[in-house]
Amino acid sequence: MSENTTTGFPYTVSRTMAAPVARAWAAYTTAAEWPAWFGAAEGSVEIDVRAGGAWKATLLGPEGERYPLTGNFLEVEEGRRLVLTMDVPHAPADVMAITFEEHGDGAKVTIDQTNATTEAREQARQGSTMILAGLAAHVEA
């Protein structure tokens, strides 16, 4: 992970997908695809996939709530790894690493993150599990 890693409570979640790494990478790094798998509002996603580039999206909740999310890319290893921040109000930004690996005939995508509290870790773990499920459903379709 990056030197900007939050200290505290780490977690890792992985999902194997019946799609090539290139497909999973493309879905994760293409703004137009985020609404289909991330639950982002149409037209709300902007992604500048390069070290130092920014990203933003508005996540839609089950009752129509809107959650604006922002952050920056710290590291980009094309087709293999992203390290990005997610801004957290009134706290240091969380740092998340997403790794894309060949796994049999498909891709294994892993999210590693460390959060400042156990409560934040559990929320982030649930969110990451949902992100990977959505990504898998999208790239396997």
Side-chain angles (χ1 to χ4, degrees), residues 69-114:
L69 303 172
T70 60
N72 293 291
F73 290 95
L74 302 176
E75 300 172 26
V76 176
E77 236 181 281
E78 185 69 30
R80 178 167 165 11
R81 186 168 190 259
L82 299 167
V83 178
L84 55 97
T85 64
M86 182 180 301
D87 298 326
V88 178
H90 315 295
D94 285 335
V95 177
M96 175 186 293
I98 303 100
T99 305
F100 300 78
E101 301 172 287
E102 298 293 340
H103 187 80
D105 290 337
K108 179 179 179 184
V109 182
T110 301
I111 297 176
D112 292 293
Q113 186 174 354
T114 300

Side-chain angles (χ1 to χ4, degrees), residues 23 25-35 37 45 47 49:
R23 178 66 191 111
W25 176 268
Y28 210 105
T29 59
T30 303
E33 292 199 48
W34 274 44
W37 64 267
V45 181
I47 306 172
V49 184

